[in-house]
Amino acid sequence: MKTSLVNKYNIPGPRYTSYPTVPYWDEAAFSSEDWQKSVVKSFNESNSEEGISIYIHLPFCEALCTFCACHKRITKQHSVETPYLESVLQEMDLYLKLFNEKPKLKELHLGGGTPTFFSPANLKKLLEGLFEKVDIAENQEFSFEGHPNNTTKEHLQTLFDLGFTRCSFGVQDYDPIVQKAINRIQPFENVKNVTEWAREIGYKSISHDLVFGLPHQTWEKMKHSIHRTLELKPDRLAFYSYAHVPWIKGVGQRGFDENDLPSGEEKRKLYENGKQLLEDLGYIEVGMDHFSLEHDDLYQSLKSGDIHRNFMGYSSSKTQLMIGLGMSAISDSWYAFAQNEKSVDEYQKRVAEGKIPVFRGHILNEEDLKIRQHILNLMCRLETSWDVQTEFPELENAIANLKEMEADGLIEIEKNHIKITEKGRAFTRNVAMTFDLRMLRNKPETRIFSMTV
Ligand SMILES: C[S@@+](CC[C@H](N)C(=O)[O-])C[C@H]1O[C@@H](n2cnc3c(N)ncnc32)[C@H](O)[C@@H]1O
Ligand code: SF4
């Protein structure tokens, strides 16, 4: 039964960190002026109450991991740090010109690439520069991504002293054959050190990223990686499905053959066995790809209904406005999305010209806003309700597809309400796809998404 479900539902599909998803953005109808207007509207509506979020993309890595789908620039030249950080602060100034009061910073995330490529002193300079421009909200949530091979105790202490209480470390897999294939040799000792230092310093949430579906991975190897991970008991775990997207320019997925990848069915087993093992060991699945221990904020936010999903993945609270700074960063004003230039040079050039460096985006219409809410409900709460009369007639087609999923036991439908079942959890992306009217109207002709399982 399970095998046939995998065969049936394992199709290319979005990860829904936004709706509409990036390939369906109406770029022709987007302009930087409209983007800025949407930012001002959102800021005026929400800054004084809930504050704003800032995401800073720090793109540099010293070596290429050949499985990686992130926007990064590989270099060993650390002279790139200072000019890049100056551009980020200048970009922030361009946004400040739009506002009539100081932003209240509720959430801050440093992602990459590798934030810990930067020296602690440079990160401090960046953050002190940023903090001069904002008021920091009470109960602020500051987090960063660190590479276990280059995160130092000094990085951890410096960022903690600046208000960071959460960190995540890329682990992926501990098996030497898998590590070799993905060009990422990373001894357990390194992960142990950074995790223990972070705990000693006082970080309240430490997360590890594991990836299933990597080249040469088998359940035996994955099981070993999970057991090693649990020796360190991170508060959270991201258990990502390997996104194989070699057609995306600049991603650089190479160094292994497609035949080295586990088959769809093997990959599914890695997920199911992995999930079972994590749950047996006390982790709770809080949303697609994410597990946490009961005490962690992410689980608490799931229980209270405050959990949210955006380009950074899941977060324990929501702000209406999220400004993404840095090369390739995506911003979300709730009414619109915008993405910054994807090359470091172009990004820095645009900022130096005094322009907000967005190069594409999407302004959400009424229908997008409704669909987005349904997809968020499904991704965060595994359920949603609708009103066919007042919403959109095309949902009827979607409902026809839902009937098939209902027969397969993936969802339960009751009047205008659907709930994803335990069995259907792994197919959350498939359920969300039935609401994706933009994709239903215009099916992709070539592969643009990774597989859903
Ligand atoms: C920016 S990296 C984390 C920080 C640091 N650069 C590192 O590698 O440790 C973000 C995470 O995205 C995940 N990731 C990257 N490429 C992926 C892919 N193709 N499929 C699934 N997850 C991926 C990995 O788990 C990785 O740790
Ligand atoms: S996984 Fe991390 S370190 Fe490796 S290339 Fe991607 S962003 Fe850089």
Side-chain angles (χ1 to χ4, degrees):
M1 176 62 178
K2 274 188 180 149
T3 307
S4 62
L5 279 182
V6 174
N7 292 342
K8 184 166 170 185
Y9 290 106
N10 191 19
I11 54 170
R15 302 177 63 76
Y16 292 112
T17 49
S18 74
Y19 179 83
T21 55
V22 178
Y24 287 93
W25 285 359
D26 186 353
E27 293 179 29
F30 174 85
S31 69
S32 182
E33 291 68 37
D34 287 345
W35 162 244
Q36 291 172 44
K37 276 188 209 147
S38 83
V39 170
V40 172
K41 175 173 155 73
S42 196
F43 182 85
N44 291 341
E45 285 172 359
S46 62
N47 182 55
S48 56
E49 281 278 306
E50 61 184 26
I52 69 162
S53 301
I54 293 181
Y55 168 78
I56 304 181
H57 192 73
L58 298 169
F60 304 111
C61 304
E62 287 208 349
L64 175 72
C65 311
T66 53
F67 77 102
C68 177
C70 303
H71 290 289
K72 67 265 172 195
R73 171 142 163 209
I74 309 300
T75 179
K76 290 198 169 28
Q77 301 301 324
H78 284 259
S79 55
V80 294
E81 292 182 28
T82 299
Y84 186 81
L85 298 180
E86 284 170 358
S87 296
V88 169
L89 289 173
Q90 282 166 22
E91 188 189 359
M92 183 64 196
D93 286 336
L94 297 173
Y95 277 102
L96 288 180
K97 282 191 197 153
L98 304 177
F99 305 146
N100 54 13
E101 63 185 30
K102 251 188 171 182
K104 186 164 87 178
L105 182 60
K106 173 78 172 99
E107 250 192 275
L108 171 63
H109 183 73
L110 309 183
T114 301
T116 48
F117 171 97
F118 289 78
S119 68
N122 276 339
L123 289 175
K124 186 164 188 241
K125 223 188 282 171
L126 167 74
L127 293 162
E128 285 178 345
L130 178 70
F131 295 166
E132 276 171 19
K133 304 174 197 292
V134 298
D135 289 328
I136 295 178
E138 260 177 57
N139 304 324
Q140 91 282 2
E141 290 173 16
F142 293 176
S143 53
F144 73 94
E145 295 166 21
H147 193 315
N149 285 2
N150 65 13
T151 303
T152 61
K153 215 175 196 172
E154 197 188 343
H155 278 115
L156 290 162
Q157 189 66 56
T158 303
L159 291 169
F160 185 78
D161 293 343
L162 288 159
F164 285 71
T165 55
R166 297 165 183 203
C167 52
S168 67
F169 298 110
V171 172
Q172 331 308 352
D173 190 299
Y174 285 110
D175 183 80
I177 294 169
V178 176
Q179 288 197 357
K180 185 160 181 277
I182 61 170
N183 193 37
R184 186 181 170 107
I185 305 302
Q186 180 178 272
F188 176 74
E189 275 307 302
N190 292 5
V191 186
K192 184 170 186 277
N193 285 341
V194 292
T195 305
E196 290 178 349
W197 292 334
R199 202 161 274 145
E200 276 161 33
I201 288 171
Y203 282 83
K204 68 173 183 179
S205 181
I206 302 166
S207 184
H208 287 184
D209 300 340
L210 292 176
V211 178
F212 64 92
L214 289 172
H216 306 293
Q217 240 174 10
T218 58
W219 171 236
E220 279 311 305
K221 289 178 178 156
M222 188 83 247
K223 190 161 79 178
H224 172 74
S225 291
I226 293 178
H227 277 293
R228 293 245 79 180
T229 301
L230 292 165
E231 285 175 41
L232 305 175
K233 268 224 169 266
D235 306 274
R236 287 185 197 179
L237 265 173
F239 190 44
Y240 292 123
S241 165
Y242 167 56
H244 189 55
V245 286
W247 56 86
I248 297 183
K249 220 174 113 207
V251 156
Q253 283 176 336
R254 54 175 185 261
F256 52 86
D257 199 278
E258 300 220 341
N259 297 326
D260 299 333
L261 295 172
S263 67
E265 185 49 29
E266 285 163 346
K267 192 174 173 189
R268 171 89 190 125
K269 268 200 202 125
L270 293 175
Y271 167 74
E272 279 195 340
N273 294 349
K275 170 179 147 80
Q276 189 59 55
L277 182 56
L278 289 171
E279 286 178 349
D280 291 346
L281 293 160
Y283 286 83
I284 305 160
E285 193 173 24
V286 283
M288 211 181 79
D289 314 324
H290 285 77
F291 291 78
S292 85
L293 291 174
E294 199 166 343
H295 69 259
D296 192 86
D297 282 0
L298 202 58
Y299 176 64
Q300 295 304 327
S301 67
L302 176 75
K303 278 211 313 203
S304 64
D306 291 335
I307 192 166
H308 185 58
R309 183 168 172 84
N310 58 25
F311 286 103
M312 297 185 274
Y314 285 100
S315 76
S316 51
S317 65
K318 167 181 172 278
T319 65
Q320 187 171 295
L321 176 61
M322 184 186 87
I323 296 178
L325 303 174
M327 158 270 206
S328 80
I330 297 182
S331 301
D332 176 354
S333 68
W334 191 253
Y335 303 109
F337 300 116
Q339 182 170 28
N340 280 352
E341 291 290 351
K342 286 205 263 184
S343 95
V344 172
D345 297 341
E346 199 52 39
Y347 164 73
Q348 295 190 168
K349 184 166 157 263
R350 288 279 302 275
V351 173
E353 288 166 0
K355 296 188 184 128
I356 289 187
V358 296
F359 81 104
R360 63 171 172 176
H362 179 90
I363 310 289
L364 283 86
N365 61 26
E366 283 298 309
E367 180 197 275
D368 292 335
L369 288 165
K370 281 183 178 160
I371 301 283
R372 172 196 206 171
Q373 192 58 58
H374 286 305
I375 289 183
L376 270 177
N377 294 345
L378 290 167
M379 303 305 279
C380 296
R381 287 175 260 288
L382 300 172
E383 61 184 337
T384 196
S385 328
W386 62 90
D387 180 348
V388 181
Q389 301 308 317
T390 59
E391 286 204 16
F392 28 87
E394 275 171 282
L395 198 66
E396 278 173 34
N397 294 337
I399 292 166
N401 290 331
L402 290 173
K403 290 257 182 281
E404 195 169 336
M405 291 193 184
E406 187 184 28
D408 287 330
L410 307 186
I411 53 171
E412 286 161 3
I413 309 182
E414 201 183 296
K415 285 194 182 151
N416 298 333
H417 175 258
I418 86 160
K419 189 168 175 39
I420 299 174
T421 61
E422 215 26 62
K423 186 174 167 191
R425 246 188 134 117
F427 301 100
T428 303
R429 285 161 77 178
N430 299 73
V431 181
M433 279 163 77
T434 64
F435 284 77
D436 186 338
L437 290 188
R438 283 194 181 262
M439 191 164 71
L440 291 173
R441 285 183 201 133
N442 186 8
K443 290 244 163 68
E445 282 165 17
T446 53
R447 268 293 294 280
I448 51 174
F449 297 115
S450 59
M451 302 300 273
T452 52
V453 177

